[in-house]
Amino acid sequence: LRLRDTKLQLGAPEAQTAAWRFNADSFNWRFRQGETLDLDLINAVTTPVSVNVYGLDGAPHLVPLLGQQPIPAGKRETRAIPLKRAGTYFFETRLGGEAAALPLPCGAFAVLEANPPQVDRDETLVIEDWRLKADRSAVPPGTSAAGSETVYTINDRLDWTIPVRKHQRLRLRFVNGCQRMPIYLIFELVEAT
């Protein structure tokens, strides 16, 4: 897992938004219940960070600033994550310093049950909100967003289309990675269970 400076296209084609992001595949990792994930973390940004994984049971050594020290800028560390329970897990950075220069990145991974349901596809969708100024620069969390526009992304993209066939079964895992807002989803003209 590499945390890096990058640029995203969040609307206007002539402007890009500077952001800290994890590698592009950090939304659809799959593991088996009972495995241990050895997460290799590379901090390629200019400030110390910790990674917080929500919902883990029995992993006090992963609690930011209590069980783990921040990873210094330019350094690499490995964290062992026991995957005791099946489910969808959300992770994000926590800063070692007081303020974030850019919005904080997040990701998700799934731990599959011993006997997962039979589906054609299993997708994890991380929804994030961005507050953008007129020049398309992002407003960091914890600072005034007055006069900004709200833009939503799914897995770092403005448009997420999932082509499906008739009678295809999808397992969709939704994660609210928004820094400021609750979200709700509406499904129309589909049968959801």
Side-chain angles (χ1 to χ4, degrees):
L1 185 65
R2 183 180 182 88
L3 178 63
R4 65 195 182 350
D5 287 302
T6 191
K7 303 240 185 236
L8 297 176
Q9 194 72 43
L10 297 179
E14 68 280 357
Q16 293 187 322
T17 302
W20 288 345
R21 306 309 292 162
F22 292 118
N23 29 311
D25 65 346
S26 62
F27 297 111
N28 263 315
W29 294 343
R30 298 285 179 267
F31 303 99
R32 293 265 176 216
Q33 187 174 355
E35 291 181 333
T36 297
L37 166 60
D38 290 321
L39 187 59
D40 186 22
L41 302 164
I42 302 167
N43 180 8
V45 298
T46 57
T47 188
V49 295
S50 293
V51 173
N52 187 29
V53 182
Y54 292 92
L56 287 179
D57 186 25
H61 64 288
L62 295 175
V63 176
L65 305 180
L66 296 176
Q68 62 169 309
Q69 292 302 310
I71 301 167
K75 297 295 181 183
R76 178 182 199 155
E77 292 185 17
T78 300
R79 307 273 160 82
I81 301 174
L83 305 175
K84 297 180 180 181
R85 298 183 192 273
T88 306
Y89 295 90
F90 169 70
F91 61 89
E92 68 174 358
T93 59
R94 291 288 184 192
L95 295 177
E98 283 297 313
L102 298 170
L104 304 176
C106 60
F109 62 89
V111 179
L112 303 177
E113 308 90 331
N115 295 305
Q118 294 298 311
V119 295
D120 296 302
R121 291 205 348 245
D122 186 340
E123 299 274 350
T124 302
L125 306 174
V126 178
I127 302 167
E128 295 179 83
D129 63 336
W130 298 80
R131 297 295 178 98
L132 301 178
K133 300 175 188 173
D135 66 357
R136 306 316 276 177
S137 62
V139 178
T143 60
S144 173
S148 64
E149 172 191 0
T150 302
V151 173
Y152 294 92
T153 57
I154 299 175
N155 296 3
D156 282 347
R157 292 172 30 198
L158 289 172
D159 179 23
W160 190 268
T161 302
I162 302 174
V164 295
R165 299 181 318 271
K166 186 175 181 178
H167 302 298
Q168 188 175 21
R169 294 183 60 191
L170 303 179
R171 185 178 197 181
L172 301 177
R173 302 167 185 265
F174 294 99
V175 176
N176 181 359
C178 294
Q179 298 285 335
R180 294 178 171 90
M181 307 180 80
I183 57 172
Y184 67 93
L185 304 170
I186 298 172
F187 295 90
E188 295 180 332
L189 306 175
V190 295
E191 181 181 330
T193 57

